[in-house]
Amino acid sequence: MYILKVKGKAKIPDYIQIRDDNFVLVAYFRADRPLKNIEKFGLEGKEAELETLIRELPFGKTQKIEI
């Protein structure tokens, strides 16, 4: 899986994209509310790790993650 942090402009907030190995979009959510409905994306139990990763992730850089 891959994670990407997208910078918003003006009134559009920052977003997080999680994509599978074929780069198909799996999850898309606001960066300021990353843990809302996390179980819907199959990422329950990884909240602390994901929150730290999102906070430290630079904008526009795709990073491979093992979840």
Side-chain angles (χ1 to χ4, degrees):
M1 297 185 92
Y2 297 89
I3 188 166
L4 173 68
K5 190 174 189 181
V6 181
K7 180 75 172 162
K9 292 185 178 183
K11 292 185 178 188
I12 300 171
D14 301 338
Y15 274 89
I16 302 297
Q17 294 180 4
I18 297 181
R19 295 179 174 266
D20 67 8
D21 290 331
N22 294 323
F23 227 70
V24 175
L25 188 64
V26 175
Y28 185 73
F29 49 88
R30 289 177 58 158
D32 62 344
R33 292 185 237 165
L35 305 178
K36 186 176 182 181
N37 299 328
I38 201 83
E39 67 280 348
K40 184 167 71 172
F41 308 120
L43 300 172
E44 61 275 346
K46 307 286 185 185
E47 291 89 353
E49 299 166 20
L50 195 57
E51 186 176 3
T52 302
L53 178 65
I54 289 170
R55 193 174 331 116
E56 297 173 357
L57 190 66
F59 289 102
K61 301 287 183 180
T62 304
Q63 184 174 339
K64 186 164 179 74
I65 54 174
E66 299 294 329
I67 295 180

